[in-house]
Amino acid sequence: MSQRHEAARPARPRLKPLPEEQWDPRTRELLAAAPHDPGGGIPNIFTTLVRHPDLYERFLPFGGLLLAGGRLPGEVRELLILRTAWNTGARYEWGRHLPLARAAGVTDAEIDRIGEGPEAPGWTDLQRHLISAADELHEDATMSDATWEGLAGHFGDAELIEVVMLVGQYQMVAFFLNATGVELEPGFDSTGFPEGNGSG
């Protein structure tokens, strides 16, 4: 992370979750459809984003499709999301997706080496191409022939499209989280995410 990016990060939330006493009937209806945590709480990302209800209403189905209804295997999806969280310094995104990644079969050893990039020893060929894809899309807004062809050896056209859209979606989400300063809820940690890699 560059010093310029670090300096731009808010020290405290710029936008706080909308307090329940300010929820109008439409807000209640929108948030009722949001994924809830085991204790019944609604994640801060949703109670903050709902401050723009029209955008929220259209965002949720698209994000939900990529997260729960996409064609990519869960461990593939979560590796891409965690590397995107790492690349963008999105601590909230990292912390929320650690349990999802573990549930999808991503091992602690794999989580530990996400920050080391695609050349870290231990990755399979597919995993190395996935990490490279997240990096190249983040840095260059495209993918090299070698990375595309490496992924095409494992996936069909629809899955290749989904890889690109997934990284783009979670990069956009990271922009929102980092710029507004959404705070990670109690009970979620950011294990493996280095100090100085963003507080969102």
Side-chain angles (χ1 to χ4, degrees):
M1 300 294 295
S2 72
Q3 289 184 344
R4 179 175 63 84
H5 290 150
E6 278 303 304
R9 297 190 184 283
R12 58 183 182 273
R14 289 172 171 151
L15 291 177
K16 292 187 176 182
L18 189 67
E20 188 168 359
E21 59 269 21
Q22 295 181 28
W23 297 359
D24 60 19
R26 184 185 182 201
T27 299
R28 289 189 183 280
E29 182 179 355
L30 290 172
L31 290 175
H36 286 49
D37 287 332
I42 303 172
N44 290 338
I45 182 175
F46 300 122
T47 50
T48 305
L49 184 59
V50 80
R51 288 179 176 277
H52 190 323
D54 294 337
L55 191 152
Y56 173 98
E57 187 173 23
R58 288 154 182 81
F59 165 86
L60 203 61
F62 180 70
L65 174 65
L66 287 171
L67 183 62
R71 299 191 180 195
L72 296 173
E75 65 271 21
V76 166
R77 179 192 70 234
E78 293 303 325
L79 273 178
L80 288 167
I81 293 171
L82 287 178
R83 183 60 179 178
T84 299
W86 180 278
N87 285 336
T88 55
R91 183 180 298 278
Y92 185 95
E93 194 166 85
W94 178 273
R96 292 292 311 198
H97 278 271
L98 276 183
L100 297 178
R102 290 182 174 121
V106 180
T107 68
D108 286 343
E110 290 165 344
I111 290 168
D112 288 345
R113 64 173 169 264
I114 284 188
E116 299 176 35
E119 300 309 317
W123 293 127
T124 66
D125 285 345
L126 172 57
Q127 289 172 330
R128 188 168 60 255
H129 291 311
L130 291 168
I131 300 297
S132 292
D135 288 1
E136 291 168 10
L137 289 165
H138 174 71
E139 294 165 10
D140 303 320
T142 190
M143 213 185 291
S144 69
D145 286 343
T147 299
W148 180 270
E149 289 163 9
L151 291 175
H154 298 270
F155 300 126
D157 294 350
E159 289 82 8
L160 290 167
I161 291 169
E162 193 169 316
V163 166
V164 177
M165 297 296 281
L166 181 76
V167 172
Q169 155 80 353
Y170 279 90
Q171 184 134 321
M172 178 185 70
V173 169
F175 294 164
F176 166 72
L177 294 167
N178 289 343
T180 61
V182 175
E183 292 185 311
L184 193 58
E185 294 84 3
F188 289 85
D189 65 46
S190 49
T191 301
F193 202 79
E195 295 303 319
N197 228 40
S199 59

